[in-house]
Amino acid sequence: MAADIAETLEESESGRNGYRVPAVEKALDVLEFMASRAEALTQTEIATGMGRSIHEIYRILLLLEKRGYLFRTQSDRFRLSLKLFELAHMHPPVNRLVESALPVMRELTANADQSCHLVVREGQNALVVLQIDSPLPMRYSVALGSHFPILETSSGAVLLAHSNRAERDRIVERIVAAGEGQGTREEIEARLNEVARLGYEMRASLAVEGCTNISMPVRDHVGAVIAALTVPLLPQKAARFDRQTVFERTRAAAEKISAALGWGEANSSSRADPERRDYPFSD
């Protein structure tokens, strides 16, 4: 396959616009297809799902496995590895986001007695890119690198509610078709509209009983929402601060991270383009 790529590049070196690299395209097709599937798949299932023959993708699968992008289960099925996640963390937008958020989130946990995490959208999923634990002995936190269906989290609802309308509609359509949404289409739209109206979501966790999610948008230099800062508030006797105080400090922290990314008073007269499509962490 490497020879095929080299040959194609050599033939096309003089005309860089418009040339195709079939082997690379197939590899990217496999990665994108596998990223859309939660379960491990056989070679036949992958080929069928992509509309290709096993012969077309056989060497691609072997190479992706060898390079660590796929791993093979004991039942001879393929699953996407976390290598793409690791590469994403080397990407400058993620680095800058995490570097800007880290000191603010550490300060927030100390001043709220609660854990907090930072989430970006990855397709139809919410992806945790930073997690800071509460200073208290008892705490609730999520694992770094965890993926969750976007509407099972308040972080995902905040991100989706602030997406441009075309992208939001496309994702909601996929969720409804897959039966992965929380409620009917009308209920999903009502929830997202309310999040967009308020600018945040504060609600009982759908995953952990007794926990209240407080999730705030994080904006970039033009005001586009690129991440969500979430505190899973867990009431306990040792916590010094009530829910309203934690809410206000979470909002202030999200605004502080946004300011570090370039959004602030100097930008307040401009508005984020509602049709912006260059979300840096997703498709």
Side-chain angles (χ1 to χ4, degrees):
M1 188 182 77
D4 294 341
I5 295 174
E7 182 179 349
T8 305
L9 290 173
E10 287 172 4
E11 290 175 353
S12 307
E13 191 154 358
S14 60
R16 295 182 182 274
N17 295 325
Y19 69 75
R20 299 178 66 252
V21 187
V24 174
E25 290 182 349
K26 288 178 186 176
L28 292 174
D29 287 344
V30 169
L31 290 174
E32 291 173 0
F33 175 77
M34 294 300 293
S36 69
R37 299 296 188 273
E39 70 278 10
L41 301 172
T42 65
Q43 291 184 43
T44 300
E45 289 169 338
I46 296 171
T48 301
M50 294 178 58
R52 295 183 178 272
S53 68
I54 293 178
H55 174 74
E56 286 182 282
I57 66 168
Y58 174 72
R59 287 191 297 168
I60 300 291
L61 292 176
L62 294 183
L63 178 63
L64 292 175
E65 181 186 12
K66 180 179 178 181
R67 296 293 296 268
Y69 291 95
L70 299 178
F71 70 86
R72 196 188 306 230
T73 68
Q74 292 183 347
S75 57
D76 207 31
R77 291 175 173 268
F78 289 93
R79 185 186 293 277
L80 200 64
S81 74
L82 290 178
K83 186 166 184 177
L84 290 174
F85 174 76
E86 295 168 0
L87 290 177
H89 274 68
M90 297 169 63
H91 187 46
V94 178
N95 280 341
R96 187 181 178 202
L97 175 62
V98 170
E99 288 171 2
S100 299
L102 182 57
V104 180
M105 290 172 62
R106 284 176 173 163
E107 182 181 23
L108 174 60
T109 59
N111 293 330
D113 285 347
Q114 302 288 337
S115 300
C116 65
H117 53 271
L118 190 69
V119 172
V120 300
R121 182 172 62 79
E122 187 181 53
Q124 293 173 222
N125 295 307
L127 172 65
V128 179
V129 296
L130 186 59
Q131 158 69 34
I132 306 294
D133 285 338
S134 163
L136 299 183
M138 294 181 64
R139 62 181 71 104
Y140 170 67
S141 61
V142 293
L144 182 66
S146 298
H147 290 77
F148 300 95
I150 197 164
L151 288 180
E152 287 186 8
T153 70
S154 290
S155 302
V158 166
L159 290 166
L160 190 54
H162 289 90
S163 298
N164 70 71
R165 190 70 210 195
E167 193 166 23
R168 169 176 154 175
D169 288 346
R170 176 174 59 84
I171 293 172
V172 170
E173 179 67 29
R174 289 180 181 176
I175 291 170
V176 172
E180 296 175 351
Q182 297 293 326
T184 64
R185 181 189 297 275
E186 290 73 21
E187 291 169 334
I188 291 172
E189 289 293 347
R191 177 187 179 189
L192 296 178
N193 290 339
E194 182 68 0
V195 173
R197 184 184 72 82
L198 294 173
Y200 63 85
E201 181 166 83
M202 181 165 64
R203 64 173 294 168
S205 170
L206 295 170
V208 180
E209 189 172 348
C211 179
T212 299
N213 289 332
I214 301 173
S215 188
M216 299 287 176
V218 172
R219 300 178 182 273
D220 67 3
H221 64 288
V222 298
V225 174
I226 62 169
L229 173 64
T230 298
V231 169
L233 190 149
L234 188 66
Q236 55 176 299
K237 291 181 179 180
R240 296 169 292 168
F241 310 106
D242 60 19
R243 186 170 73 171
Q244 185 60 32
T245 300
V246 175
F247 172 86
E248 292 169 356
R249 291 179 180 178
T250 304
R251 178 162 58 186
E255 291 172 354
K256 192 171 182 178
I257 297 170
S258 299
L261 293 171
W263 177 248
E265 292 183 4
N267 309 89
S268 60
S269 60
S270 63
R271 297 178 63 87
D273 180 1
E275 294 305 315
R276 174 178 168 169
R277 297 202 53 86
D278 57 334
Y279 183 75
F281 311 116
S282 190
D283 53 6

